[in-house]
Amino acid sequence: MQKVYTKIESIVGNVVTVRAEGVRSGDLALVGDSYASVIKLDKDMVSLQVFAGAQGVSTTDPVRFLGRPMQVSFSENLLGRIFDGTGVPRDHGPALTENMISIGGPSFNPSKRTLPNKMIRTGIPMIDVFNTLVESQKLPIFSISGEPYNQLLSRIAMQAEVDVIILGGMGLKYDDYLTFRDTLEKGGAMSHTVMFIHTAADPIVECTLVPDMSLAVAEQFALEGKRVLVLLTDMTNYADALKEMAITMEQVPSNRGYPGDLYSSLAARYEKAVDIEGAGSITILGVTTMPGDDVTHPVPDNTGYITEGQYYLKNGHIEPFGSLSRLKQNVNDKTRDDHRALMDGMIRIYAQYKESLEKKSMGFLMTEWDEKLLKYGELFETKLMDLSVNIPLEDALDLGWEILAECFEPNETGLKTSLIQERWPKKAAFN
């Protein structure tokens, strides 16, 4: 039976405190007519974050504990739909109330996980060729404000070869939300996409619910055998929401004011990535913006200890240096026999191009080899690094050989003779 309490002890910001018993952290409650979530327990003092804000709430309003955490409906009817952080439709469609499942549960049983060994193709050469995305991987996209990280997520959502896309937006500008929606609808990807969107104008507590909503639904689809890709943006906004709530609860702050359990909060979400034995998989890509381009900021710093590498998005490109998919070795020896060697060789030469570019900027005399490197670097950046390039993996590998043949003699590449004899183009493509 639901207990009703009619005396609120205090109201601070959007947090109300009431004396109650038998309540668990994360439980849902009704404060007047507004939903709230239990965020702190101190003996019989229970603090609740009111979703819609505490404005208009009085100390005599009833508080009714529902005895369960936040839930979300799960069915095939979710596909093509857009919801807010509490699961309420944003697309003016009907509310879904069947087959309700709890959010924020534990990560998957390790004994039921299988070793990641399948590639997810995206059509983006800097991912497919140089830092392959692997099923059940958890990877952040480190970036700064102003970079096209949301456009990159839209591209991945439209092109990734998966069964279901789940997009979780946190603290989005309304224009960014509309861009996501319009891009996926026009690109035909909305039919297998579910969106949970929190905008900057929405209650802060909803921001903290978006990852759990997204991952709870993803797990159910994965148990049905679906390959699910979860795209989260921006995890720094998620961490900032945790920080704001911690300040309201007067928690002792940790590094730069973030709560001491920031690492655990991030890990609990990222560790939901899984390849389930005999079923589907969950793969997570989460944008993490770095304030001041500072990789030692608490959010990217903690994230780096949890995830399996990272993509660095700088100057509109996925940087070859610093970006790393630690699991790519599990799959790129199964794609094509020249994949790994070509990947290593092209990046090695690109590093030499960067040195020649620096010499040129300082006014040093350019050698014939430097001129070849400069030509190679320009072709590499326009033909492969540009995020607008959209070609299959095999075509990208062929294009890599053509770029090498346009700029160098076979013996200048450092690649194996047997591989060159098999793959070297008869005629360069760029004249």
Side-chain angles (χ1 to χ4, degrees):
M1 186 176 73
Q2 297 177 357
K3 291 186 177 180
V4 180
Y5 299 85
T6 56
K7 182 183 178 183
I8 294 176
E9 300 291 332
S10 67
I11 303 174
V12 180
N14 296 324
V15 176
V16 302
T17 303
V18 64
R19 293 186 182 275
E21 296 178 348
V23 179
R24 298 169 299 181
S25 180
D27 273 2
L28 206 60
L30 279 171
V31 178
D33 295 324
S34 300
Y35 280 105
S37 179
V38 176
I39 57 174
K40 182 181 179 181
L41 297 173
D42 184 6
K43 297 180 181 178
D44 64 342
M45 298 295 287
V46 180
S47 298
L48 304 104
Q49 180 92 15
V50 184
F51 291 179
Q55 186 174 3
V57 176
S58 73
T59 55
T60 58
D61 281 350
V63 178
R64 180 182 295 106
F65 291 94
L66 304 184
R68 58 172 176 82
M70 175 64 74
Q71 294 181 321
V72 62
S73 172
F74 172 75
S75 70
E76 293 287 336
N77 294 330
L78 285 172
L79 297 175
R81 297 295 306 276
I82 305 173
F83 304 90
D84 66 13
T86 61
V88 175
R90 276 189 179 274
D91 54 8
H92 307 296
L96 301 179
T97 56
E98 74 276 12
N99 192 27
M100 301 297 289
I101 58 172
S102 297
I103 70 171
S107 57
F108 210 84
N109 187 340
S111 68
K112 295 297 183 180
R113 295 170 178 254
T114 60
L115 184 68
N117 59 6
K118 294 183 283 291
M119 172 185 178
I120 295 180
R121 293 172 177 255
T122 66
I124 300 173
M126 289 309 296
I127 295 178
D128 292 355
V129 177
F130 298 100
N131 274 297
T132 312
L133 182 61
V134 183
E135 261 189 58
S136 79
Q137 198 166 17
K138 45 188 180 292
L139 277 178
I141 300 173
F142 288 158
S143 187
I144 61 173
S145 296
E147 290 288 344
Y149 47 83
N150 285 334
Q151 292 90 320
L152 175 61
L153 285 192
S154 295
R155 282 276 310 282
I156 293 172
M158 289 190 296
Q159 298 172 190
E161 295 184 3
V162 294
D163 300 317
V164 177
I165 296 287
I166 298 181
L167 176 64
M170 292 155 280
L172 292 183
K173 296 178 183 177
Y174 203 75
D175 287 348
D176 288 337
Y177 155 55
L178 294 178
T179 300
F180 271 124
R181 186 194 67 185
D182 295 344
T183 301
L184 296 184
E185 286 179 350
K186 292 176 182 176
M190 200 64 202
S191 60
H192 63 275
T193 299
V194 185
M195 296 173 64
F196 292 95
I197 300 296
H198 167 268
T199 70
D202 294 330
I204 195 71
V205 68
E206 291 186 17
C207 183
T208 65
L209 296 174
V210 167
D212 291 337
M213 284 275 181
S214 303
L215 291 165
V217 170
E219 185 170 304
Q220 295 302 310
F221 275 119
L223 288 170
E224 292 187 350
K226 305 289 188 183
R227 303 169 69 200
V228 186
L229 177 59
V230 180
L231 305 175
L232 301 173
T233 178
D234 168 0
M235 290 302 286
T236 302
N237 289 339
Y238 167 77
D240 287 344
L242 294 179
K243 177 180 178 179
E244 186 171 330
M245 290 170 60
I247 291 171
T248 303
M249 291 186 292
E250 299 181 346
Q251 289 184 0
V252 176
S254 183
N255 191 6
R256 302 200 198 183
Y258 286 92
D261 64 347
L262 176 63
Y263 178 92
S264 299
S265 297
L266 293 171
R269 277 80 196 172
Y270 279 114
E271 291 298 340
K272 294 287 184 113
V274 60
D275 194 347
I276 306 170
E277 182 181 355
S281 64
I282 301 173
T283 308
I284 301 175
L285 274 180
V287 169
T288 299
T289 52
M290 302 181 293
D293 201 14
D294 179 12
V295 74
T296 67
H297 183 276
V299 182
D301 186 38
N302 280 279
T303 300
Y305 286 103
I306 300 164
T307 52
E308 297 148 344
Q310 65 281 320
Y311 295 144
Y312 276 99
L313 185 63
K314 291 185 178 180
N315 301 317
H317 299 109
I318 295 176
E319 279 290 308
F321 310 117
S323 294
L324 174 63
S325 168
R326 297 187 188 278
L327 300 184
K328 64 184 177 183
Q329 305 291 352
N330 292 3
V331 297
N332 61 15
D333 61 341
K334 305 179 183 70
T335 50
R336 210 168 81 173
D337 60 352
D338 61 330
H339 186 169
R340 188 173 291 178
L342 184 66
M343 169 188 71
D344 293 342
M346 294 194 75
I347 293 299
R348 183 175 61 251
I349 297 173
Y350 186 73
Q352 296 178 52
Y353 154 74
K354 285 291 190 180
E355 293 176 0
S356 294
L357 196 62
E358 186 175 358
K359 285 168 59 179
K360 182 180 180 181
S361 68
M362 296 172 66
F364 285 99
L365 182 65
M366 294 287 99
T367 65
E368 182 181 352
W369 176 246
D370 287 322
E371 295 296 342
K372 288 185 175 184
L373 289 173
L374 292 173
K375 180 180 180 181
Y376 167 80
E378 182 181 352
L379 288 173
F380 183 89
E381 290 179 347
T382 57
K383 302 293 182 180
L384 288 177
M385 282 183 65
D386 195 305
L387 289 180
S388 65
V389 177
N390 176 25
I391 52 177
L393 170 65
E394 291 74 17
D395 291 348
L397 292 173
D398 291 341
L399 182 58
W401 282 108
E402 291 170 5
I403 291 172
L404 289 174
E406 176 68 15
C407 302
F408 307 108
E409 296 299 322
N411 62 347
E412 294 175 327
T413 62
L415 296 171
K416 287 184 179 180
T417 302
S418 59
L419 206 56
I420 288 174
Q421 290 174 344
E422 179 185 359
R423 297 290 181 181
W424 196 260
K426 300 295 187 240
K427 184 179 180 180
F430 314 109
N431 295 315

